[in-house]
PDB file of all heavy atoms in Angstrom:
ATOM      1  N   ARG P  19      -5.913   5.108   3.837  1.00 97.00           N
ATOM      2  CA  ARG P  19      -6.742   6.278   3.517  1.00 97.00           C
ATOM      3  C   ARG P  19      -8.225   5.979   3.791  1.00 97.00           C
ATOM      4  O   ARG P  19      -8.966   6.852   4.233  1.00 97.00           O
ATOM      5  CB  ARG P  19      -6.541   6.695   2.051  1.00 97.00           C
ATOM      6  CG  ARG P  19      -5.118   7.008   1.636  1.00 97.00           C
ATOM      7  CD  ARG P  19      -4.369   7.871   2.615  1.00 97.00           C
ATOM      8  NE  ARG P  19      -4.857   9.258   2.652  1.00 97.00           N
ATOM      9  CZ  ARG P  19      -4.454  10.160   3.526  1.00 97.00           C
ATOM     10  NH1 ARG P  19      -3.568   9.805   4.453  1.00 97.00           N
ATOM     11  NH2 ARG P  19      -4.924  11.384   3.486  1.00 97.00           N
ATOM     12  N   VAL P  20      -8.653   4.761   3.522  1.00 96.00           N
ATOM     13  CA  VAL P  20     -10.041   4.370   3.833  1.00 96.00           C
ATOM     14  C   VAL P  20     -10.278   4.493   5.336  1.00 96.00           C
ATOM     15  O   VAL P  20     -11.295   5.044   5.778  1.00 96.00           O
ATOM     16  CB  VAL P  20     -10.339   2.937   3.347  1.00 96.00           C
ATOM     17  CG1 VAL P  20     -11.692   2.469   3.886  1.00 96.00           C
ATOM     18  CG2 VAL P  20     -10.324   2.862   1.826  1.00 96.00           C
ATOM     19  N   LYS P  21      -9.357   3.991   6.115  1.00 94.00           N
ATOM     20  CA  LYS P  21      -9.473   4.054   7.578  1.00 94.00           C
ATOM     21  C   LYS P  21      -9.578   5.502   8.047  1.00 94.00           C
ATOM     22  O   LYS P  21     -10.363   5.825   8.954  1.00 94.00           O
ATOM     23  CB  LYS P  21      -8.268   3.369   8.214  1.00 94.00           C
ATOM     24  CG  LYS P  21      -8.331   3.281   9.732  1.00 94.00           C
ATOM     25  CD  LYS P  21      -7.136   2.526  10.284  1.00 94.00           C
ATOM     26  CE  LYS P  21      -7.188   2.434  11.804  1.00 94.00           C
ATOM     27  NZ  LYS P  21      -6.004   1.708  12.356  1.00 94.00           N
ATOM     28  N   LYS P  22      -8.816   6.383   7.428  1.00 95.00           N
ATOM     29  CA  LYS P  22      -8.834   7.811   7.801  1.00 95.00           C
ATOM     30  C   LYS P  22     -10.207   8.427   7.589  1.00 95.00           C
ATOM     31  O   LYS P  22     -10.682   9.211   8.421  1.00 95.00           O
ATOM     32  CB  LYS P  22      -7.793   8.566   6.969  1.00 95.00           C
ATOM     33  CG  LYS P  22      -7.848  10.094   7.103  1.00 95.00           C
ATOM     34  CD  LYS P  22      -6.817  10.760   6.218  1.00 95.00           C
ATOM     35  CE  LYS P  22      -7.015  12.265   6.154  1.00 95.00           C
ATOM     36  NZ  LYS P  22      -6.744  12.933   7.446  1.00 95.00           N
ATOM     37  N   TYR P  23     -10.882   8.084   6.479  1.00 96.00           N
ATOM     38  CA  TYR P  23     -12.142   8.755   6.121  1.00 96.00           C
ATOM     39  C   TYR P  23     -13.389   7.999   6.580  1.00 96.00           C
ATOM     40  O   TYR P  23     -14.493   8.549   6.504  1.00 96.00           O
ATOM     41  CB  TYR P  23     -12.195   8.999   4.612  1.00 96.00           C
ATOM     42  CG  TYR P  23     -11.260  10.105   4.178  1.00 96.00           C
ATOM     43  CD1 TYR P  23     -10.032   9.818   3.575  1.00 96.00           C
ATOM     44  CD2 TYR P  23     -11.568  11.448   4.420  1.00 96.00           C
ATOM     45  CE1 TYR P  23      -9.154  10.827   3.194  1.00 96.00           C
ATOM     46  CE2 TYR P  23     -10.699  12.463   4.041  1.00 96.00           C
ATOM     47  CZ  TYR P  23      -9.500  12.151   3.436  1.00 96.00           C
ATOM     48  OH  TYR P  23      -8.638  13.164   3.077  1.00 96.00           O
ATOM     49  N   GLN P  24     -13.236   6.772   7.081  1.00 93.00           N
ATOM     50  CA  GLN P  24     -14.400   6.017   7.540  1.00 93.00           C
ATOM     51  C   GLN P  24     -15.120   6.707   8.692  1.00 93.00           C
ATOM     52  O   GLN P  24     -16.327   6.530   8.892  1.00 93.00           O
ATOM     53  CB  GLN P  24     -13.976   4.608   7.978  1.00 93.00           C
ATOM     54  CG  GLN P  24     -13.891   3.626   6.846  1.00 93.00           C
ATOM     55  CD  GLN P  24     -13.655   2.205   7.325  1.00 93.00           C
ATOM     56  OE1 GLN P  24     -14.051   1.257   6.666  1.00 93.00           O
ATOM     57  NE2 GLN P  24     -13.020   2.036   8.467  1.00 93.00           N
ATOM     58  N   GLU P  25     -14.395   7.520   9.446  1.00 92.00           N
ATOM     59  CA  GLU P  25     -14.991   8.176  10.618  1.00 92.00           C
ATOM     60  C   GLU P  25     -16.109   9.146  10.244  1.00 92.00           C
ATOM     61  O   GLU P  25     -16.920   9.526  11.091  1.00 92.00           O
ATOM     62  CB  GLU P  25     -13.914   8.914  11.409  1.00 92.00           C
ATOM     63  CG  GLU P  25     -13.268  10.061  10.652  1.00 92.00           C
ATOM     64  CD  GLU P  25     -12.131  10.720  11.433  1.00 92.00           C
ATOM     65  OE1 GLU P  25     -11.213  10.012  11.860  1.00 92.00           O
ATOM     66  OE2 GLU P  25     -12.196  11.948  11.604  1.00 92.00           O
ATOM     67  N   TYR P  26     -16.162   9.553   8.972  1.00 94.00           N
ATOM     68  CA  TYR P  26     -17.212  10.467   8.524  1.00 94.00           C
ATOM     69  C   TYR P  26     -18.539   9.742   8.241  1.00 94.00           C
ATOM     70  O   TYR P  26     -19.541  10.403   7.961  1.00 94.00           O
ATOM     71  CB  TYR P  26     -16.775  11.180   7.236  1.00 94.00           C
ATOM     72  CG  TYR P  26     -15.646  12.164   7.426  1.00 94.00           C
ATOM     73  CD1 TYR P  26     -14.317  11.764   7.272  1.00 94.00           C
ATOM     74  CD2 TYR P  26     -15.896  13.506   7.757  1.00 94.00           C
ATOM     75  CE1 TYR P  26     -13.271  12.664   7.430  1.00 94.00           C
ATOM     76  CE2 TYR P  26     -14.850  14.404   7.921  1.00 94.00           C
ATOM     77  CZ  TYR P  26     -13.546  13.973   7.762  1.00 94.00           C
ATOM     78  OH  TYR P  26     -12.509  14.863   7.911  1.00 94.00           O
ATOM     79  N   PHE P  27     -18.542   8.420   8.295  1.00 93.00           N
ATOM     80  CA  PHE P  27     -19.703   7.661   7.854  1.00 93.00           C
ATOM     81  C   PHE P  27     -20.218   6.738   8.955  1.00 93.00           C
ATOM     82  O   PHE P  27     -19.450   6.142   9.701  1.00 93.00           O
ATOM     83  CB  PHE P  27     -19.340   6.813   6.623  1.00 93.00           C
ATOM     84  CG  PHE P  27     -18.851   7.636   5.454  1.00 93.00           C
ATOM     85  CD1 PHE P  27     -17.511   7.951   5.316  1.00 93.00           C
ATOM     86  CD2 PHE P  27     -19.754   8.125   4.509  1.00 93.00           C
ATOM     87  CE1 PHE P  27     -17.060   8.723   4.266  1.00 93.00           C
ATOM     88  CE2 PHE P  27     -19.306   8.901   3.455  1.00 93.00           C
ATOM     89  CZ  PHE P  27     -17.965   9.205   3.333  1.00 93.00           C
ATOM     90  N   ASP P  28     -21.560   6.628   9.010  1.00 91.00           N
ATOM     91  CA  ASP P  28     -22.186   5.693   9.950  1.00 91.00           C
ATOM     92  C   ASP P  28     -22.012   4.255   9.461  1.00 91.00           C
ATOM     93  O   ASP P  28     -21.737   3.355  10.240  1.00 91.00           O
ATOM     94  CB  ASP P  28     -23.674   6.009  10.114  1.00 91.00           C
ATOM     95  CG  ASP P  28     -23.885   7.371  10.755  1.00 91.00           C
ATOM     96  OD1 ASP P  28     -23.043   7.777  11.580  1.00 91.00           O
ATOM     97  OD2 ASP P  28     -24.884   8.047  10.410  1.00 91.00           O
ATOM     98  N   LYS P  29     -22.196   4.062   8.151  1.00 90.00           N
ATOM     99  CA  LYS P  29     -22.015   2.736   7.563  1.00 90.00           C
ATOM    100  C   LYS P  29     -20.543   2.480   7.292  1.00 90.00           C
ATOM    101  O   LYS P  29     -19.794   3.414   6.987  1.00 90.00           O
ATOM    102  CB  LYS P  29     -22.804   2.612   6.263  1.00 90.00           C
ATOM    103  CG  LYS P  29     -24.305   2.642   6.430  1.00 90.00           C
ATOM    104  CD  LYS P  29     -24.992   2.481   5.069  1.00 90.00           C
ATOM    105  CE  LYS P  29     -26.504   2.516   5.233  1.00 90.00           C
ATOM    106  NZ  LYS P  29     -27.185   2.385   3.918  1.00 90.00           N
ATOM    107  N   LYS P  30     -20.149   1.237   7.372  1.00 91.00           N
ATOM    108  CA  LYS P  30     -18.777   0.827   7.060  1.00 91.00           C
ATOM    109  C   LYS P  30     -18.800  -0.135   5.876  1.00 91.00           C
ATOM    110  O   LYS P  30     -19.754  -0.887   5.707  1.00 91.00           O
ATOM    111  CB  LYS P  30     -18.122   0.140   8.266  1.00 91.00           C
ATOM    112  CG  LYS P  30     -18.152   0.958   9.553  1.00 91.00           C
ATOM    113  CD  LYS P  30     -17.366   2.245   9.421  1.00 91.00           C
ATOM    114  CE  LYS P  30     -17.415   3.056  10.716  1.00 91.00           C
ATOM    115  NZ  LYS P  30     -16.815   4.386  10.579  1.00 91.00           N
ATOM    116  N   PRO P  31     -17.752  -0.137   5.071  1.00 93.00           N
ATOM    117  CA  PRO P  31     -17.695  -1.099   3.966  1.00 93.00           C
ATOM    118  C   PRO P  31     -17.645  -2.530   4.501  1.00 93.00           C
ATOM    119  O   PRO P  31     -17.019  -2.794   5.533  1.00 93.00           O
ATOM    120  CB  PRO P  31     -16.382  -0.750   3.250  1.00 93.00           C
ATOM    121  CG  PRO P  31     -15.988   0.585   3.760  1.00 93.00           C
ATOM    122  CD  PRO P  31     -16.559   0.729   5.122  1.00 93.00           C
ATOM    123  N   GLU P  32     -18.316  -3.439   3.813  1.00 93.00           N
ATOM    124  CA  GLU P  32     -18.245  -4.854   4.177  1.00 93.00           C
ATOM    125  C   GLU P  32     -16.849  -5.392   3.867  1.00 93.00           C
ATOM    126  O   GLU P  32     -16.267  -6.127   4.668  1.00 93.00           O
ATOM    127  CB  GLU P  32     -19.301  -5.658   3.412  1.00 93.00           C
ATOM    128  CG  GLU P  32     -20.734  -5.373   3.856  1.00 93.00           C
ATOM    129  CD  GLU P  32     -20.981  -5.784   5.313  1.00 93.00           C
ATOM    130  OE1 GLU P  32     -20.482  -6.853   5.719  1.00 93.00           O
ATOM    131  OE2 GLU P  32     -21.642  -5.016   6.027  1.00 93.00           O
ATOM    132  N   LYS P  33     -16.330  -5.028   2.700  1.00 94.00           N
ATOM    133  CA  LYS P  33     -14.994  -5.456   2.283  1.00 94.00           C
ATOM    134  C   LYS P  33     -14.310  -4.326   1.537  1.00 94.00           C
ATOM    135  O   LYS P  33     -14.969  -3.522   0.867  1.00 94.00           O
ATOM    136  CB  LYS P  33     -15.074  -6.687   1.370  1.00 94.00           C
ATOM    137  CG  LYS P  33     -15.553  -7.958   2.059  1.00 94.00           C
ATOM    138  CD  LYS P  33     -15.581  -9.114   1.067  1.00 94.00           C
ATOM    139  CE  LYS P  33     -16.101 -10.387   1.733  1.00 94.00           C
ATOM    140  NZ  LYS P  33     -16.180 -11.510   0.763  1.00 94.00           N
ATOM    141  N   ILE P  34     -12.997  -4.270   1.645  1.00 95.00           N
ATOM    142  CA  ILE P  34     -12.187  -3.323   0.872  1.00 95.00           C
ATOM    143  C   ILE P  34     -11.216  -4.152   0.027  1.00 95.00           C
ATOM    144  O   ILE P  34     -10.414  -4.920   0.570  1.00 95.00           O
ATOM    145  CB  ILE P  34     -11.376  -2.365   1.763  1.00 95.00           C
ATOM    146  CG1 ILE P  34     -12.295  -1.524   2.647  1.00 95.00           C
ATOM    147  CG2 ILE P  34     -10.485  -1.475   0.906  1.00 95.00           C
ATOM    148  CD1 ILE P  34     -13.094  -0.492   1.886  1.00 95.00           C
ATOM    149  N   ARG P  35     -11.311  -4.002  -1.278  1.00 96.00           N
ATOM    150  CA  ARG P  35     -10.393  -4.713  -2.172  1.00 96.00           C
ATOM    151  C   ARG P  35      -9.581  -3.702  -2.965  1.00 96.00           C
ATOM    152  O   ARG P  35     -10.126  -2.721  -3.458  1.00 96.00           O
ATOM    153  CB  ARG P  35     -11.171  -5.620  -3.138  1.00 96.00           C
ATOM    154  CG  ARG P  35     -11.949  -6.741  -2.472  1.00 96.00           C
ATOM    155  CD  ARG P  35     -12.551  -7.666  -3.525  1.00 96.00           C
ATOM    156  NE  ARG P  35     -13.280  -8.772  -2.942  1.00 96.00           N
ATOM    157  CZ  ARG P  35     -14.604  -8.778  -2.747  1.00 96.00           C
ATOM    158  NH1 ARG P  35     -15.315  -7.712  -3.089  1.00 96.00           N
ATOM    159  NH2 ARG P  35     -15.206  -9.812  -2.205  1.00 96.00           N
ATOM    160  N   VAL P  36      -8.293  -3.947  -3.089  1.00 96.00           N
ATOM    161  CA  VAL P  36      -7.427  -3.136  -3.924  1.00 96.00           C
ATOM    162  C   VAL P  36      -6.999  -4.042  -5.061  1.00 96.00           C
ATOM    163  O   VAL P  36      -6.309  -5.048  -4.853  1.00 96.00           O
ATOM    164  CB  VAL P  36      -6.209  -2.622  -3.127  1.00 96.00           C
ATOM    165  CG1 VAL P  36      -5.316  -1.768  -4.022  1.00 96.00           C
ATOM    166  CG2 VAL P  36      -6.672  -1.819  -1.915  1.00 96.00           C
ATOM    167  N   LYS P  37      -7.396  -3.694  -6.288  1.00 94.00           N
ATOM    168  CA  LYS P  37      -7.241  -4.624  -7.399  1.00 94.00           C
ATOM    169  C   LYS P  37      -7.170  -3.888  -8.727  1.00 94.00           C
ATOM    170  O   LYS P  37      -7.345  -2.669  -8.784  1.00 94.00           O
ATOM    171  CB  LYS P  37      -8.407  -5.620  -7.411  1.00 94.00           C
ATOM    172  CG  LYS P  37      -9.769  -4.927  -7.471  1.00 94.00           C
ATOM    173  CD  LYS P  37     -10.924  -5.876  -7.239  1.00 94.00           C
ATOM    174  CE  LYS P  37     -11.206  -6.711  -8.457  1.00 94.00           C
ATOM    175  NZ  LYS P  37     -12.457  -7.471  -8.341  1.00 94.00           N
ATOM    176  N   GLU P  38      -6.954  -4.644  -9.782  1.00 92.00           N
ATOM    177  CA  GLU P  38      -7.002  -4.104 -11.149  1.00 92.00           C
ATOM    178  C   GLU P  38      -8.455  -3.890 -11.535  1.00 92.00           C
ATOM    179  O   GLU P  38      -9.276  -4.804 -11.418  1.00 92.00           O
ATOM    180  CB  GLU P  38      -6.341  -5.081 -12.115  1.00 92.00           C
ATOM    181  CG  GLU P  38      -6.327  -4.619 -13.554  1.00 92.00           C
ATOM    182  CD  GLU P  38      -5.203  -3.645 -13.851  1.00 92.00           C
ATOM    183  OE1 GLU P  38      -4.122  -3.776 -13.249  1.00 92.00           O
ATOM    184  OE2 GLU P  38      -5.409  -2.764 -14.692  1.00 92.00           O
ATOM    185  N   LEU P  39      -8.797  -2.690 -11.962  1.00 92.00           N
ATOM    186  CA  LEU P  39     -10.144  -2.383 -12.426  1.00 92.00           C
ATOM    187  C   LEU P  39     -10.044  -1.804 -13.832  1.00 92.00           C
ATOM    188  O   LEU P  39      -9.287  -0.863 -14.063  1.00 92.00           O
ATOM    189  CB  LEU P  39     -10.834  -1.374 -11.499  1.00 92.00           C
ATOM    190  CG  LEU P  39     -11.137  -1.826 -10.087  1.00 92.00           C
ATOM    191  CD1 LEU P  39     -11.676  -0.659  -9.271  1.00 92.00           C
ATOM    192  CD2 LEU P  39     -12.146  -2.976 -10.065  1.00 92.00           C
ATOM    193  N   LYS P  40     -10.795  -2.341 -14.761  1.00 84.00           N
ATOM    194  CA  LYS P  40     -10.783  -1.831 -16.135  1.00 84.00           C
ATOM    195  C   LYS P  40     -11.707  -0.637 -16.258  1.00 84.00           C
ATOM    196  O   LYS P  40     -12.895  -0.721 -15.948  1.00 84.00           O
ATOM    197  CB  LYS P  40     -11.197  -2.935 -17.115  1.00 84.00           C
ATOM    198  CG  LYS P  40     -10.176  -4.043 -17.252  1.00 84.00           C
ATOM    199  CD  LYS P  40     -10.579  -5.032 -18.326  1.00 84.00           C
ATOM    200  CE  LYS P  40      -9.509  -6.114 -18.498  1.00 84.00           C
ATOM    201  NZ  LYS P  40      -9.874  -7.099 -19.553  1.00 84.00           N
ATOM    202  N   ASN P  41     -11.160   0.493 -16.678  1.00 84.00           N
ATOM    203  CA  ASN P  41     -11.940   1.705 -16.964  1.00 84.00           C
ATOM    204  C   ASN P  41     -12.639   2.294 -15.744  1.00 84.00           C
ATOM    205  O   ASN P  41     -13.581   3.073 -15.881  1.00 84.00           O
ATOM    206  CB  ASN P  41     -12.993   1.427 -18.062  1.00 84.00           C
ATOM    207  CG  ASN P  41     -12.369   0.900 -19.331  1.00 84.00           C
ATOM    208  OD1 ASN P  41     -11.338   1.404 -19.771  1.00 84.00           O
ATOM    209  ND2 ASN P  41     -12.974  -0.125 -19.911  1.00 84.00           N
ATOM    210  N   LYS P  42     -12.211   1.931 -14.534  1.00 93.00           N
ATOM    211  CA  LYS P  42     -12.792   2.494 -13.320  1.00 93.00           C
ATOM    212  C   LYS P  42     -11.691   2.719 -12.293  1.00 93.00           C
ATOM    213  O   LYS P  42     -10.700   1.990 -12.250  1.00 93.00           O
ATOM    214  CB  LYS P  42     -13.845   1.553 -12.719  1.00 93.00           C
ATOM    215  CG  LYS P  42     -15.136   1.450 -13.512  1.00 93.00           C
ATOM    216  CD  LYS P  42     -16.126   0.535 -12.817  1.00 93.00           C
ATOM    217  CE  LYS P  42     -17.413   0.371 -13.607  1.00 93.00           C
ATOM    218  NZ  LYS P  42     -18.182   1.618 -13.669  1.00 93.00           N
ATOM    219  N   TRP P  43     -11.900   3.730 -11.450  1.00 96.00           N
ATOM    220  CA  TRP P  43     -10.960   3.961 -10.354  1.00 96.00           C
ATOM    221  C   TRP P  43     -11.471   3.372  -9.054  1.00 96.00           C
ATOM    222  O   TRP P  43     -10.693   3.120  -8.137  1.00 96.00           O
ATOM    223  CB  TRP P  43     -10.683   5.447 -10.200  1.00 96.00           C
ATOM    224  CG  TRP P  43      -9.964   5.991 -11.394  1.00 96.00           C
ATOM    225  CD1 TRP P  43     -10.457   6.843 -12.339  1.00 96.00           C
ATOM    226  CD2 TRP P  43      -8.639   5.659 -11.826  1.00 96.00           C
ATOM    227  NE1 TRP P  43      -9.533   7.064 -13.319  1.00 96.00           N
ATOM    228  CE2 TRP P  43      -8.404   6.360 -13.031  1.00 96.00           C
ATOM    229  CE3 TRP P  43      -7.636   4.841 -11.314  1.00 96.00           C
ATOM    230  CZ2 TRP P  43      -7.183   6.268 -13.720  1.00 96.00           C
ATOM    231  CZ3 TRP P  43      -6.435   4.740 -12.002  1.00 96.00           C
ATOM    232  CH2 TRP P  43      -6.218   5.442 -13.179  1.00 96.00           C
ATOM    233  N   GLY P  44     -12.767   3.167  -8.991  1.00 96.00           N
ATOM    234  CA  GLY P  44     -13.329   2.554  -7.797  1.00 96.00           C
ATOM    235  C   GLY P  44     -14.761   2.113  -8.039  1.00 96.00           C
ATOM    236  O   GLY P  44     -15.414   2.597  -8.963  1.00 96.00           O
ATOM    237  N   THR P  45     -15.221   1.180  -7.223  1.00 96.00           N
ATOM    238  CA  THR P  45     -16.615   0.730  -7.295  1.00 96.00           C
ATOM    239  C   THR P  45     -17.126   0.473  -5.878  1.00 96.00           C
ATOM    240  O   THR P  45     -16.350   0.189  -4.964  1.00 96.00           O
ATOM    241  CB  THR P  45     -16.765  -0.580  -8.105  1.00 96.00           C
ATOM    242  OG1 THR P  45     -16.056  -1.635  -7.439  1.00 96.00           O
ATOM    243  CG2 THR P  45     -16.255  -0.417  -9.526  1.00 96.00           C
ATOM    244  N   CYS P  46     -18.448   0.580  -5.721  1.00 95.00           N
ATOM    245  CA  CYS P  46     -19.109   0.227  -4.463  1.00 95.00           C
ATOM    246  C   CYS P  46     -20.378  -0.543  -4.815  1.00 95.00           C
ATOM    247  O   CYS P  46     -21.247  -0.013  -5.503  1.00 95.00           O
ATOM    248  CB  CYS P  46     -19.437   1.476  -3.652  1.00 95.00           C
ATOM    249  SG  CYS P  46     -20.259   1.113  -2.074  1.00 95.00           S
ATOM    250  N   THR P  47     -20.461  -1.784  -4.389  1.00 94.00           N
ATOM    251  CA  THR P  47     -21.603  -2.620  -4.744  1.00 94.00           C
ATOM    252  C   THR P  47     -22.801  -2.338  -3.836  1.00 94.00           C
ATOM    253  O   THR P  47     -22.679  -1.645  -2.821  1.00 94.00           O
ATOM    254  CB  THR P  47     -21.244  -4.116  -4.625  1.00 94.00           C
ATOM    255  OG1 THR P  47     -21.062  -4.431  -3.236  1.00 94.00           O
ATOM    256  CG2 THR P  47     -19.970  -4.430  -5.393  1.00 94.00           C
ATOM    257  N   GLY P  48     -23.931  -2.922  -4.200  1.00 92.00           N
ATOM    258  CA  GLY P  48     -25.135  -2.794  -3.377  1.00 92.00           C
ATOM    259  C   GLY P  48     -24.960  -3.381  -1.985  1.00 92.00           C
ATOM    260  O   GLY P  48     -25.657  -3.008  -1.036  1.00 92.00           O
ATOM    261  N   LYS P  49     -24.015  -4.310  -1.863  1.00 94.00           N
ATOM    262  CA  LYS P  49     -23.723  -4.937  -0.558  1.00 94.00           C
ATOM    263  C   LYS P  49     -22.602  -4.217   0.183  1.00 94.00           C
ATOM    264  O   LYS P  49     -22.072  -4.711   1.172  1.00 94.00           O
ATOM    265  CB  LYS P  49     -23.358  -6.401  -0.768  1.00 94.00           C
ATOM    266  CG  LYS P  49     -24.515  -7.246  -1.284  1.00 94.00           C
ATOM    267  CD  LYS P  49     -24.110  -8.712  -1.407  1.00 94.00           C
ATOM    268  CE  LYS P  49     -25.288  -9.553  -1.894  1.00 94.00           C
ATOM    269  NZ  LYS P  49     -24.904 -10.991  -2.012  1.00 94.00           N
ATOM    270  N   ASN P  50     -22.235  -3.030  -0.320  1.00 95.00           N
ATOM    271  CA  ASN P  50     -21.219  -2.175   0.314  1.00 95.00           C
ATOM    272  C   ASN P  50     -19.816  -2.780   0.309  1.00 95.00           C
ATOM    273  O   ASN P  50     -19.019  -2.574   1.238  1.00 95.00           O
ATOM    274  CB  ASN P  50     -21.626  -1.812   1.751  1.00 95.00           C
ATOM    275  CG  ASN P  50     -22.855  -0.934   1.786  1.00 95.00           C
ATOM    276  OD1 ASN P  50     -23.128  -0.191   0.833  1.00 95.00           O
ATOM    277  ND2 ASN P  50     -23.627  -1.016   2.851  1.00 95.00           N
ATOM    278  N   ASN P  51     -19.510  -3.528  -0.745  1.00 96.00           N
ATOM    279  CA  ASN P  51     -18.150  -3.977  -0.969  1.00 96.00           C
ATOM    280  C   ASN P  51     -17.450  -2.955  -1.865  1.00 96.00           C
ATOM    281  O   ASN P  51     -17.921  -2.662  -2.966  1.00 96.00           O
ATOM    282  CB  ASN P  51     -18.122  -5.344  -1.659  1.00 96.00           C
ATOM    283  CG  ASN P  51     -18.693  -6.434  -0.770  1.00 96.00           C
ATOM    284  OD1 ASN P  51     -18.473  -6.440   0.429  1.00 96.00           O
ATOM    285  ND2 ASN P  51     -19.458  -7.335  -1.363  1.00 96.00           N
ATOM    286  N   ILE P  52     -16.353  -2.393  -1.385  1.00 96.00           N
ATOM    287  CA  ILE P  52     -15.644  -1.346  -2.132  1.00 96.00           C
ATOM    288  C   ILE P  52     -14.378  -1.909  -2.762  1.00 96.00           C
ATOM    289  O   ILE P  52     -13.614  -2.644  -2.112  1.00 96.00           O
ATOM    290  CB  ILE P  52     -15.304  -0.167  -1.207  1.00 96.00           C
ATOM    291  CG1 ILE P  52     -16.584   0.631  -0.879  1.00 96.00           C
ATOM    292  CG2 ILE P  52     -14.263   0.767  -1.839  1.00 96.00           C
ATOM    293  CD1 ILE P  52     -16.372   1.786   0.065  1.00 96.00           C
ATOM    294  N   SER P  53     -14.173  -1.584  -4.037  1.00 97.00           N
ATOM    295  CA  SER P  53     -12.943  -1.934  -4.745  1.00 97.00           C
ATOM    296  C   SER P  53     -12.292  -0.641  -5.238  1.00 97.00           C
ATOM    297  O   SER P  53     -12.973   0.243  -5.740  1.00 97.00           O
ATOM    298  CB  SER P  53     -13.231  -2.854  -5.934  1.00 97.00           C
ATOM    299  OG  SER P  53     -13.739  -4.102  -5.509  1.00 97.00           O
ATOM    300  N   ILE P  54     -10.961  -0.562  -5.089  1.00 97.00           N
ATOM    301  CA  ILE P  54     -10.195   0.605  -5.518  1.00 97.00           C
ATOM    302  C   ILE P  54      -9.087   0.136  -6.450  1.00 97.00           C
ATOM    303  O   ILE P  54      -8.414  -0.865  -6.183  1.00 97.00           O
ATOM    304  CB  ILE P  54      -9.576   1.359  -4.328  1.00 97.00           C
ATOM    305  CG1 ILE P  54     -10.647   1.762  -3.299  1.00 97.00           C
ATOM    306  CG2 ILE P  54      -8.804   2.574  -4.799  1.00 97.00           C
ATOM    307  CD1 ILE P  54     -11.575   2.868  -3.719  1.00 97.00           C
ATOM    308  N   ASN P  55      -8.886   0.870  -7.530  1.00 97.00           N
ATOM    309  CA  ASN P  55      -7.854   0.524  -8.510  1.00 97.00           C
ATOM    310  C   ASN P  55      -6.455   0.758  -7.921  1.00 97.00           C
ATOM    311  O   ASN P  55      -6.133   1.866  -7.482  1.00 97.00           O
ATOM    312  CB  ASN P  55      -8.038   1.389  -9.763  1.00 97.00           C
ATOM    313  CG  ASN P  55      -7.282   0.857 -10.961  1.00 97.00           C
ATOM    314  OD1 ASN P  55      -6.158   0.363 -10.836  1.00 97.00           O
ATOM    315  ND2 ASN P  55      -7.877   0.976 -12.131  1.00 97.00           N
ATOM    316  N   TRP P  56      -5.637  -0.281  -7.933  1.00 97.00           N
ATOM    317  CA  TRP P  56      -4.285  -0.176  -7.343  1.00 97.00           C
ATOM    318  C   TRP P  56      -3.413   0.858  -8.041  1.00 97.00           C
ATOM    319  O   TRP P  56      -2.463   1.374  -7.450  1.00 97.00           O
ATOM    320  CB  TRP P  56      -3.586  -1.531  -7.340  1.00 97.00           C
ATOM    321  CG  TRP P  56      -3.168  -2.050  -8.681  1.00 97.00           C
ATOM    322  CD1 TRP P  56      -3.860  -2.916  -9.469  1.00 97.00           C
ATOM    323  CD2 TRP P  56      -1.970  -1.738  -9.400  1.00 97.00           C
ATOM    324  NE1 TRP P  56      -3.178  -3.160 -10.636  1.00 97.00           N
ATOM    325  CE2 TRP P  56      -2.012  -2.462 -10.623  1.00 97.00           C
ATOM    326  CE3 TRP P  56      -0.857  -0.926  -9.144  1.00 97.00           C
ATOM    327  CZ2 TRP P  56      -0.989  -2.384 -11.571  1.00 97.00           C
ATOM    328  CZ3 TRP P  56       0.155  -0.847 -10.091  1.00 97.00           C
ATOM    329  CH2 TRP P  56       0.084  -1.574 -11.284  1.00 97.00           C
TER     330      TRP P  56
END
């Protein structure tokens, strides 16, 4: 799904992580590392 929607953006994520996140469904850091709750 990330690959599908990346085409809308000039910037690309540095890293994509799928992991356990407490109280969040997703995060994006200042360094453009994205984490998504599995």
Side-chain angles (χ1 to χ4, degrees):
R19 303 315 289 173
V20 171
K21 185 177 180 180
K22 171 182 170 67
Y23 287 102
Q24 275 188 152
E25 64 184 54
Y26 291 91
F27 301 88
D28 295 328
K29 293 181 180 179
K30 306 297 180 188
E32 290 296 319
K33 292 180 182 178
I34 300 290
R35 297 186 179 96
V36 180
K37 56 190 283 190
E38 181 81 34
L39 294 174
K40 291 185 178 180
N41 303 317
K42 289 182 182 293
W43 294 110
T45 63
C46 180
T47 68
K49 294 183 179 180
N50 294 333
N51 295 321
I52 287 178
S53 295
I54 304 289
N55 196 322
W56 70 265

